[in-house]
Amino acid sequence: MSNTPEKKETFFISTPIYYPSASLHIGHTYCTVAADVMARYKRQKGFDVFFLTGTDEHGQKIEDIAKKEGVAPQEFVDGVVAGVRELWELMNISYDRFIRTTDPAHILSVQRIFRAMFDNGDIYKGVYKGKYCKPCESFWTETQLVDGKCPDCGREVSDAEEEAYFFRLSKYQNLLIELYEDIPDFLEPESRKNEMLNNFLRPGLEDLCVSRTTFSWGIPVDFDEGHVVYVWVDALSNYITALGYENGTYDGFEKFWPANVHFVGKEIVRFHAIIWPAMLMSLGLPLPEKIFGHGWLVLGGAKMSKSTGNVVDPNILAEKYGVDALRYFLLRAFPFGSDGDYSEDLLVSVINSDLANKLGNLLSRTVSMTEKYFNSRLLDDFSPEPQLDEPLISACTATVREFDAAMERYDFQGALEAVVAQLSRANKYIDDTAPWILAKEPSKRPRLSSVLYNLLENLRIAAVLLTPFMPTATKEIFTQIGADSDEAQTDTVYGTLPAKAVVRRGENLFQRIQTEE
Ligand code: MSP
């Protein structure tokens, strides 16, 4: 296959770790599926992949929710995490490690990380000034207030101070600007980079408050009782604690760090593209190669979120349309770097046009003709017609190249567009070659065999490319077209399917969904 490394290269990819304060919806599923597709793609290419995901479980919000529900925070997060794991299992997410920030190994590492930054002078003690709501016992920043009042209860707040630790983020301002200049693709898409430079880096960075004393559900600062580590310092560290950095429980740091890419939603780019590299610089560690800030799935123009009540449940969609179809839709319908307007109508139309009409139809027509005209096994005797066959074959080879190039750019939509275009060409090839007419003439059997071979081979290559997106459905395609060997299921070189492959007609892979119209 193209791009296959000689020796096993490593590839480390991560999703953000999910904050269990609200229910998981297809917005979270979107990023996790994207990372899974990339992990599977790289594995298919022969890379030694480490795919990390997990949960971000500390902070005042979680403490408050648990209190409201009358359970201990740990009990609350344990319950949510079980559901997260179940959803990822359902969605076929092939993560290599699931890190929880309540994991003792992570806690130990974060304490050591915090201390190391304190010891090297990047963390210092100061005073955090904010607004305090007495009845709620909550600290707020000026910007969190709603009309100058407590965002929780709406009452008056007063000026307050608390002792806190600060991270010298300001010290890293110029180094970060240099990083953006020296490595132009460190943060993608380009628009996010400009936003960071213009809104944060160039105007100047302030030191960051990295400890709290007003609540206790967090990682204790082990040299100053009463302080807990700021939740973002805790959470960002997961990318290395999960690899065993400063703990003896996990491993992989030497092998997999620095990360090849962190996938993150656009609203948390700031933490990943400013605070995280500054922390790593402070620790003297290499920086991730890339941060990719993807867009949001929006519903009627607004970001899906539990607080606005417009969430879409992936469990329901998966049940109704199938896991593979949902995975495919999420990456096919929206460009990864921009926002995408979700609707169930769009989901149905993508399934109908790509999966039922193009892929499903091509498969069922090709397999049933092979069964009907050749008793499921083609002749070994072929008769190519270059004028008709060559354009299809060379377009197929070009599709593989286009697909790979798009995947390397994290352009999932572009990659799938290339496959769909080839499926359309293959469907058109059926009309152009009219196998049902060839079948009437005994002398045309070698020609008919060639035509069907080209169709099977196009299906096989499409299925290889689609495997990371639809791991289950593509297995069924391989079974139906008789692509049984590992080679036939992974190699994108045209002509890999053995001529003597035996097809097995199966169920219609993707049913057309009836719509009102
Ligand atoms: N806990 C932090 C991440 C810490 S990483 C060190 C967090 N968690 S979250 O649960 O709130 O969000 C997880 C991811 O889901 C984020 O990348 C966020 O952008 C993404 N999404 C949440 N809603 C989304 C959409 N509607 N659309 C796409 N992704 C969105 O942030």
Side-chain angles (χ1 to χ4, degrees), residues 16-19 25 27-28 56 239 265 267-268 294 296-297 303:
I17 49 173
Y18 165 64
Y19 197 67
H25 52 68
H28 306 108
D56 176 8
Y239 300 126
E267 84 283 20
I268 59 171
H294 65 79
W296 287 338
L297 292 193
K303 184 189 177 215

Side-chain angles (χ1 to χ4, degrees), residues 32 82 88 101 110 113 164 172 195 283 320 349 360 446 457 466 511:
T32 311
W88 294 161
T101 56
V110 169
I113 287 169
Y172 292 97
E195 191 188 322
L283 295 168
K320 202 162 160 190
S349 91
E457 191 53 345
L466 292 173
Q511 302 284 1

Side-chain angles (χ1 to χ4, degrees), residues 139-449:
F139 246 102
W140 303 105
T141 60
E142 196 81 51
T143 51
Q144 285 172 321
L145 301 180
V146 176
D147 298 329
K149 307 234 167 83
C150 170
D152 270 1
C153 70
R155 280 179 272 210
E156 293 293 334
V157 290
S158 51
D159 288 327
E161 294 186 354
E162 70 169 329
E163 224 182 28
Y165 286 94
F166 285 82
F167 174 63
R168 272 185 221 287
L169 192 58
S170 56
K171 172 176 150 187
Y172 292 97
Q173 174 177 337
N174 289 337
L175 288 168
L176 288 166
I177 293 176
E178 271 168 37
L179 164 71
Y180 282 43
E181 279 163 3
D182 293 351
I183 309 175
D185 58 358
F186 172 72
L187 172 59
E188 281 187 325
E190 186 79 17
S191 56
R192 313 249 183 265
K193 191 170 78 183
N194 297 334
E195 191 188 322
M196 290 302 118
L197 280 168
N198 298 336
N199 299 356
F200 301 103
L201 288 169
R202 291 203 180 108
L205 293 177
E206 282 180 18
D207 289 353
L208 178 73
C209 181
V210 290
S211 79
R212 291 291 143 87
T213 52
T214 48
F215 63 91
S216 57
W217 182 239
I219 298 183
V221 174
D222 62 355
F223 53 87
D224 198 345
E225 212 183 314
H227 287 261
V228 296
V229 175
Y230 173 47
V231 72
W232 272 102
V233 169
D234 170 354
L236 289 163
S237 302
N238 93 88
Y239 300 126
I240 52 178
T241 66
L243 291 175
Y245 180 76
E246 292 289 353
N247 69 67
T249 306
Y250 298 125
D251 58 7
F253 185 76
E254 293 299 323
K255 186 168 172 188
F256 291 105
W257 191 258
N260 294 78
V261 66
H262 294 310
F263 277 2
V264 303
K266 65 179 185 180
E267 84 283 20
I268 59 171
V269 161
R270 186 163 66 88
F271 300 95
H272 285 82
I274 295 180
I275 300 175
W276 181 226
M279 280 173 63
L280 290 165
M281 286 176 191
S282 172
L283 295 168
L285 296 176
L287 307 184
E289 258 172 42
K290 187 187 296 298
I291 313 292
F292 195 101
H294 65 79
W296 287 338
L297 292 193
V298 298
L299 205 64
K303 184 189 177 215
M304 258 174 228
S305 80
K306 198 185 176 193
S307 53
T308 43
N310 64 348
V311 292
V312 176
D313 185 343
N315 289 288
I316 294 173
L317 294 180
E319 165 88 37
K320 202 162 160 190
Y321 301 107
V323 168
D324 275 353
L326 177 57
R327 287 171 60 106
Y328 177 89
F329 159 74
L330 289 173
L331 296 172
R332 165 73 170 110
F334 316 109
F336 194 49
S338 326
D339 287 355
D341 210 342
Y342 169 83
S343 73
E344 198 163 335
D345 285 350
L346 182 60
L347 168 56
V348 168
S349 91
V350 167
I351 293 176
N352 281 347
S353 75
D354 288 8
L355 299 181
N357 291 359
K358 294 192 178 119
L359 180 59
N361 231 351
L362 180 64
L363 178 70
S364 67
R365 288 166 94 190
T366 306
V367 171
S368 47
M369 286 191 288
T370 310
E371 186 188 50
K372 183 166 158 201
Y373 301 142
F374 290 100
N375 202 11
S376 301
R377 184 171 164 164
L378 301 179
L379 295 185
D380 232 341
D381 185 9
F382 288 127
S383 170
E385 261 183 42
Q387 248 185 327
L388 276 172
D389 303 346
E390 274 314 315
L392 181 74
I393 296 172
S394 56
C396 186
T397 310
T399 299
V400 173
R401 275 200 305 271
E402 249 179 77
F403 177 91
D404 281 332
M407 290 297 277
E408 294 303 327
R409 295 192 303 270
Y410 301 106
D411 174 9
F412 300 100
Q413 188 184 46
L416 291 175
E417 261 164 17
V419 179
V420 172
Q422 184 61 13
L423 294 173
S424 298
R425 284 181 208 112
N427 275 314
K428 179 162 182 300
Y429 176 82
I430 300 185
D431 302 336
D432 294 345
T433 52
W436 47 91
I437 295 176
L438 299 172
K440 290 187 182 143
E441 284 231 21
S443 66
K444 296 277 167 112
R445 289 188 63 75
R447 176 63 196 142
L448 182 57
S449 197

